[in-house]
Amino acid sequence: MSFGRRDVAAEGMGGRQMKVYYGTNFYGPSKDGEEMRKKEINREFKWGNLSGFLPAVYIGKEGMAADICIRVAEDRIREFYGIWQHRMEEGMSRAEYEQALEENPLNIDFGLCAWVNGEKLQSSFSCGTSYSAIFMEESGGCAAARELMLEYGCKEESGWCIRRHMFAWEKEPERLNCIDLEFIGMNKDYRDMPIEIGAGDAGRKYAVTNPLSQKQYEVWIKGTEWKEIPLDFLKASENPQISCLPNHYLLLTYSVEPDLHQEKFRLQDISDGGAGSSQDADGMENAIIGGAYGPTAIFLAGRKKVTEDRLAVSALYACQAGDCRSGLMPGGSAAGDSIPAKASEPEPVRRIKWVPVFSEKERQDMRLHIEL
């Protein structure tokens, strides 16, 4: 077989079969329900600069699972690891973490739609894991990744990104005649050089450049204001990572010329010291969205008037003795800073590093037709 797959049957592994259950991911501690039936496909594909294969689908009463294996050249992983190894060991800033995540060749994101016998299925959920001999040596490896590698005959000389997508039946088909899978290309972020924007910068204009196209744009900061999330709102959370957060954020109102679609551009706070990550706001209810590593975004609602202007929200910062209502923040007000500001002295404007982020679709959608 091509591009880095072993002949599993020839190596005496044909009798081995991984058990798959509907609604569970690779890492689930328990397997509930009826085991899904494996239907071998072994269909290879090329998608832009990616090569991969669909080893199998799994059929059950509730729906279908499709596993996708995408090969990643080991030299690309080795190059990435050589650049980022020491920074990962020493600890990275927020900006470095975001950059490393984007440059990681094993971080391959895509959507997947499925049709069986011409009927579209409802997407249920997806999960993923990855394998690289380099990372396995350093971290001891991932049991799920190793099991999948053995199951599908993926050679260890390459790196692999493995995804499982679950789909629900509207009505279980009597038999499978054909499967269509549509791979949906996701947007990839391209970051320009950071710019500093503070509460006193309303009216300023900044020149920014799309690193991919080299096209230049102008960001016009129309308004800046420090806002406050009620402490009662934070303390009411059952998540201790949220209840102890600082409660002040900088809200920017801005426009971009030439205009870009809302999904194509954003300003993101990358200053160290803030809690959580910044987010473009789009008139939603006040909420803090918790992620795997704690609070990840703040959304404000009912604060956006009917306008074409954009909103950007910083990470959360503490406000000590200074008066945030004046639009000023103490210079030492980052979360965790214990030096109080003197209320009698003029408060310096806190300037935050924002990175202009352009998003472009990395590859066009692709449809794969499989006759069974």
Side-chain angles (χ1 to χ4, degrees):
M1 297 183 183
S2 64
F3 63 86
R5 295 179 60 196
R6 302 190 307 269
D7 188 333
V8 178
E11 293 181 19
M13 300 169 61
R16 184 182 183 281
Q17 182 167 320
M18 176 176 59
K19 294 184 178 181
V20 177
Y21 300 83
Y22 186 82
T24 60
N25 59 27
F26 299 137
Y27 314 100
S30 62
K31 307 295 184 182
D32 299 324
E34 185 177 329
E35 182 182 342
M36 301 179 80
R37 305 183 307 276
K38 181 180 181 180
K39 173 70 175 176
E40 291 192 4
I41 304 294
N42 289 319
R43 174 68 179 273
E44 299 178 3
F45 63 84
K46 287 279 292 181
W47 184 26
N49 62 345
L50 298 178
S51 60
F53 70 102
L54 172 69
V57 296
Y58 296 82
I59 308 300
K61 293 180 179 179
E62 299 93 341
M64 178 182 78
D67 281 1
I68 307 292
C69 301
I70 296 178
R71 178 183 176 273
V72 181
E74 193 74 2
D75 57 349
R76 289 184 59 209
I77 301 172
R78 194 173 300 279
E79 180 183 4
F80 168 81
Y81 194 66
I83 294 172
W84 289 100
Q85 177 184 7
H86 295 301
R87 298 190 212 179
M88 287 188 285
E89 292 173 352
E90 296 171 359
M92 297 186 292
S93 67
R94 184 185 303 173
E96 288 175 326
Y97 175 81
E98 295 281 352
Q99 183 180 350
L101 192 64
E102 289 176 16
E103 294 181 5
N104 185 352
L106 291 168
N107 182 26
I108 301 172
D109 192 18
F110 59 91
L112 194 70
C113 297
W115 291 258
V116 169
N117 302 340
E119 296 292 328
K120 189 171 184 178
L121 307 184
Q122 180 181 351
S123 179
S124 176
F125 84 99
S126 66
C127 59
T129 186
S130 59
Y131 171 90
S132 167
I134 299 172
F135 291 120
M136 289 294 178
E137 291 170 4
E138 295 294 328
S139 64
C142 169
R146 288 184 181 279
E147 183 180 14
L148 288 158
M149 293 279 293
L150 290 171
E151 178 72 18
Y152 297 139
C154 302
K155 285 187 176 180
E156 297 184 7
E157 289 81 3
S158 298
W160 294 89
C161 172
I162 304 175
R163 292 276 296 273
R164 174 170 294 164
H165 289 255
M166 293 272 185
F167 302 92
W169 306 124
E170 184 173 333
K171 181 182 179 181
E172 183 180 0
E174 293 183 4
R175 75 182 302 269
L176 272 63
N177 299 315
C178 65
I179 297 173
D180 287 273
L181 296 177
E182 186 171 25
F183 292 74
I184 309 298
M186 308 298 281
N187 283 347
K188 181 177 180 179
D189 290 343
Y190 298 88
R191 287 168 159 75
D192 193 14
M193 297 298 294
I195 55 179
E196 289 192 350
I197 307 172
D201 291 322
R204 286 194 61 180
K205 296 182 179 182
Y206 297 82
V208 298
T209 302
N210 183 328
L212 183 65
S213 67
Q214 293 300 309
K215 186 174 180 178
Q216 292 190 334
Y217 296 83
E218 187 174 68
V219 175
W220 180 12
I221 307 300
K222 296 185 174 180
T224 62
E225 186 178 3
W226 281 101
K227 294 282 190 177
E228 184 175 346
I229 296 177
L231 288 173
D232 291 343
F233 176 84
L234 296 176
K235 291 178 180 178
S237 173
E238 297 180 357
N239 185 341
Q241 290 182 305
I242 292 177
S243 60
C244 65
L245 284 173
N247 68 323
H248 292 83
Y249 57 89
L250 182 61
L251 177 65
L252 302 182
T253 305
Y254 70 99
S255 62
V256 180
E257 292 292 340
D259 194 21
L260 288 168
H261 190 277
Q262 192 76 25
E263 295 180 355
K264 296 289 187 180
F265 181 85
R266 69 181 186 273
L267 290 175
Q268 181 176 337
D269 172 6
I270 59 166
S271 295
D272 291 325
S277 65
S278 70
Q279 181 77 23
D280 268 18
D282 194 19
M284 297 177 66
E285 204 50 53
N286 263 350
I288 297 187
I289 309 302
Y293 302 99
T296 57
I298 312 170
F299 295 90
L300 300 319
R303 309 242 178 137
K304 185 175 181 181
K305 299 178 181 178
V306 180
T307 174
E308 295 181 357
D309 291 338
R310 300 164 181 257
L311 298 181
V313 180
S314 76
L316 292 172
Y317 296 88
C319 183
Q320 299 167 0
D323 182 9
C324 290
R325 290 170 298 177
S326 67
L328 304 179
M329 275 289 282
S333 61
D337 198 336
S338 61
I339 302 175
K342 296 181 180 179
S344 59
E345 295 180 358
E347 299 292 350
V349 175
R350 177 176 179 82
R351 298 177 63 78
I352 294 175
K353 283 186 179 180
W354 303 78
V355 63
V357 182
F358 295 84
S359 293
E360 301 284 351
K361 197 160 186 172
E362 191 170 12
R363 54 186 63 87
Q364 295 304 307
D365 301 346
M366 179 194 72
R367 190 148 176 163
L368 194 65
H369 179 73
I370 303 159
E371 292 285 345
L372 301 176

